[in-house]
Amino acid sequence: MDLLVTDAVIVTQDAERTILDRGAIAIRGDRIADIGPTARLEAAHPDLPRMAGRGKAVLPGFVNAHTHTILTVLRATVEDWSGNAVYGYMSPVSYTMTPHERAVMGMLGIVEGIRSGTTTFVDPFRHVPDYADAMASLRVRLVLSENCADVNTLKIRHGDWSQDPAFGEGFLERTRAGIARFHNTHEGRLQIQIAAHATDNCTPEYLEKLTDLARQHNMPRTIHLAQSVEEIRVIREKYDCTPAEYLARHGWAEPDVVGAHWTYLTERDIALLGERGMQMVHCPANGSRRGPHPVLAKSIRRAGINICFGTDNMTEDMFHAMKIGLIVHRGAEGTQGTEPQPEDIFDSCNRNGARSIGRQDDIGSLEIGKKADLTFLNLNTPALRPVTNLIGNIVHYGHPGTVESVMVDGEFVLRDGKVLVTDELALLEEAQAVTKAVWARMLANNPDLPPPRKLNWMDV
């Protein structure tokens, strides 16, 4: 699309974090052609169709650096259950679903994310070939991966952490298929990366196989790290070390690796990972459902580690992540105060997220030559007025209802509040029916799984 947006507040997120009042941004095709004062750009680009931006803020589209969109199927259930949801429900439900059901719930998550201002989704899960095309049809930027493991995650809830080579090979086959079929497709918006599920379900030799794949295809890597007390215990019993030390021993504490959560890392672990240059994706909202996430966020920041934000599961709301993230990081390690500032949190949702997937030259900020991935906020909403410190307004008080339009690769996927890439109402209705069917089938197939809470289905 060729377009000139005029008289807007342009939040560039460039190296100087420049914010232009009454600024303009010129888009030609899928790239940003120019940014600057409205009068100069109107004179320089007289041929471009114009869009009035008065009362709007234009931001880099959010980068959700860690999510599992298909787990929208568990929304408002396991959040209020006290057990290990990862192995107790998330793994069983992912194997219960049909390819079509996975695609429907993944699309639901993407649409919610679009309405929350997100243009890039990093989504490690299972059975990527089942849903990659469907999710990519919504024209967002995707980084998908198989959550590879060679310990059968369906058996872990029964206390079995033994190696299962056949189980592991299934993931490798789907990863190879995903690379061959999907990497750099859909006009380059769909990328594949390499993912190890977690330290407690990936053996050393399996991690080596995944590293070989990453090196062969020049892909970044990701893994869940220290996300449960069970993981800490199993790694100690098997390898006499912490999960961070385990990764360092086997070449996974490196700059191309993004570790999710870091919930139970020690100060020593953090120092080790900081020295190795590993990156962190924090999901503070999801991690705080049972109380404020106990991550040592201040120590991680002091170690100079790149911190990006994600939503993890059952939500795609990056505003939610920013609000709770600010609280968690300020209150980390039993402290209170005003550090980090909103600007630091905001960086975690764009610049830092782009860096985590090696895309900082293309996305994460609004600069000439970069991709036209934009989020438009309506500043004429009570939650964002009065505008005093715009980034503070967004981080403290922004919400999905303030998102007016979203553009990816120079094309609107949401405009003036309307989703343009799918029939949203039909998708919502299908997702409701899919979720009800999946729950009934999962509980029937796994009689040891009690409903985590009463399921109160509504005929909506």
Side-chain angles (χ1 to χ4, degrees):
M1 172 179 286
D2 293 346
L3 186 68
L4 179 64
V5 181
T6 62
D7 292 315
V9 179
I10 311 294
V11 181
T12 69
Q13 283 297 96
D14 63 10
E16 291 75 35
R17 309 303 192 272
T18 304
I19 298 179
L20 300 174
D21 192 11
R22 302 298 293 271
I25 182 166
I27 297 157
R28 293 186 181 273
D30 64 348
R31 300 277 176 175
I32 297 169
D34 205 352
I35 296 178
T38 291
R40 180 180 72 74
L41 265 67
E42 287 180 328
H45 304 278
D47 61 311
L48 288 181
R50 297 184 186 182
M51 172 181 168
R54 184 68 171 162
K56 306 181 196 301
V58 184
L59 328 172
F62 293 136
V63 178
N64 186 341
H66 184 84
T67 185
H68 309 297
T69 51
I70 293 165
L71 288 179
T72 48
V73 75
L74 295 182
R75 180 172 288 164
T77 58
V78 298
E79 298 92 332
D80 305 307
W81 182 64
S82 60
N84 186 323
V86 174
Y87 298 130
Y89 283 91
M90 294 176 188
S91 191
V93 81
S94 68
Y95 284 93
T96 297
M97 301 172 78
T98 67
H100 176 71
E101 290 167 343
R102 294 185 186 107
V104 168
M105 301 314 296
M107 292 174 70
L108 175 68
I110 296 298
V111 169
E112 183 193 4
I114 289 172
R115 285 200 169 277
S116 302
T118 299
T119 55
T120 298
F121 300 76
V122 183
D123 191 339
F125 200 58
R126 305 175 184 93
H127 303 97
V128 168
D130 286 354
Y131 52 81
D133 280 326
M135 288 169 62
S137 73
L138 302 181
R139 296 192 58 82
V140 294
R141 207 169 297 286
L142 294 169
V143 182
L144 303 180
S145 54
E146 288 286 328
N147 241 345
C148 296
D150 66 335
V151 172
N152 191 327
T153 55
L154 293 170
K155 296 180 179 179
I156 288 178
R157 76 177 188 269
H158 304 299
D160 183 355
W161 266 272
S162 60
Q163 186 179 13
D164 186 337
F167 186 79
E169 184 57 33
F171 282 103
L172 295 178
E173 289 176 359
R174 290 193 295 274
T175 297
R176 296 184 193 107
I179 293 170
R181 289 177 54 189
F182 303 114
H183 185 54
N184 207 31
T185 61
H186 295 269
E187 299 176 299
R189 288 186 298 275
L190 174 53
Q191 306 285 321
I192 301 295
Q193 72 170 349
I194 303 301
H197 186 177
T199 64
D200 59 334
N201 56 42
C202 290
T203 62
E205 56 266 38
Y206 197 67
L207 289 177
E208 184 176 346
K209 290 179 181 180
L210 293 172
T211 297
D212 288 344
L213 271 175
R215 298 288 181 263
Q216 179 183 347
H217 297 282
N218 191 29
M219 291 177 171
R221 295 175 289 170
T222 190
I223 187 169
H224 295 84
L225 175 60
Q227 64 179 337
S228 70
V229 293
E230 291 94 339
E231 178 185 349
I232 304 300
R233 175 183 61 78
V234 169
I235 293 300
R236 176 62 66 185
E237 290 176 356
K238 282 188 172 184
Y239 306 108
D240 193 28
C241 63
T242 67
E245 291 167 340
Y246 179 67
L247 294 186
R249 288 180 186 177
H250 301 292
W252 274 70
E254 301 297 328
D256 69 305
V257 180
V258 180
H261 309 320
W262 298 35
T263 307
Y264 297 104
L265 291 190
T266 66
E267 295 278 2
R268 182 178 173 182
D269 290 332
I270 291 165
L272 171 64
L273 300 183
E275 291 169 2
R276 299 293 184 96
M278 190 176 181
Q279 303 182 64
M280 176 202 190
V281 56
H282 191 200
C283 303
N286 177 64
S288 299
R289 285 176 176 146
R290 297 175 183 176
H293 193 219
V295 66
L296 300 178
K298 292 187 182 296
S299 297
I300 294 167
R301 288 187 174 277
R302 284 193 297 268
I305 290 164
N306 182 50
I307 303 172
C308 48
F309 273 12
T311 59
D312 201 21
N313 47 61
M314 283 84 82
T315 178
E316 301 300 323
D317 185 351
M318 290 294 283
F319 292 97
H320 195 204
M322 285 191 285
K323 285 183 183 63
I324 294 181
L326 183 67
I327 294 168
V328 167
H329 283 233
R330 285 182 172 181
E333 301 162 48
T335 62
Q336 288 188 326
T338 58
E339 295 295 331
Q341 284 287 293
E343 290 77 5
D344 302 311
I345 298 297
F346 193 63
D347 280 359
S348 295
C349 298
N350 39 68
R351 290 177 60 91
N352 298 4
R355 176 182 165 189
S356 74
I357 52 173
R359 298 298 302 272
Q360 60 267 40
D361 292 337
D362 279 331
I363 62 174
S365 61
L366 305 184
E367 300 180 75
I368 294 172
K370 288 196 171 186
K371 288 286 192 177
D373 290 6
L374 317 177
T375 289
F376 296 74
L377 299 187
N378 180 6
L379 297 179
N380 292 324
T381 55
L384 296 181
R385 289 295 184 114
V387 179
T388 49
N389 168 11
L390 180 59
I391 303 304
N393 281 47
I394 293 169
V395 172
H396 284 292
Y397 306 112
H399 57 79
T402 64
V403 176
E404 183 176 88
S405 301
V406 174
M407 174 182 284
V408 183
D409 253 0
E411 298 290 339
F412 283 106
V413 295
L414 175 77
R415 187 160 192 181
D416 298 328
K418 179 176 176 58
V419 173
L420 304 181
V421 288
T422 192
D423 183 335
E424 186 176 15
L425 180 58
L427 176 63
L428 297 179
E429 291 175 347
E430 188 168 16
Q432 181 77 15
V434 161
T435 300
K436 190 172 184 179
V438 168
W439 267 97
R441 194 181 317 125
M442 179 176 66
L443 294 177
N445 293 345
N446 299 274
D448 63 300
L449 291 180
R453 57 174 299 164
K454 184 178 179 181
L455 300 178
N456 186 16
W457 299 105
M458 301 291 180
D459 185 14
V460 293

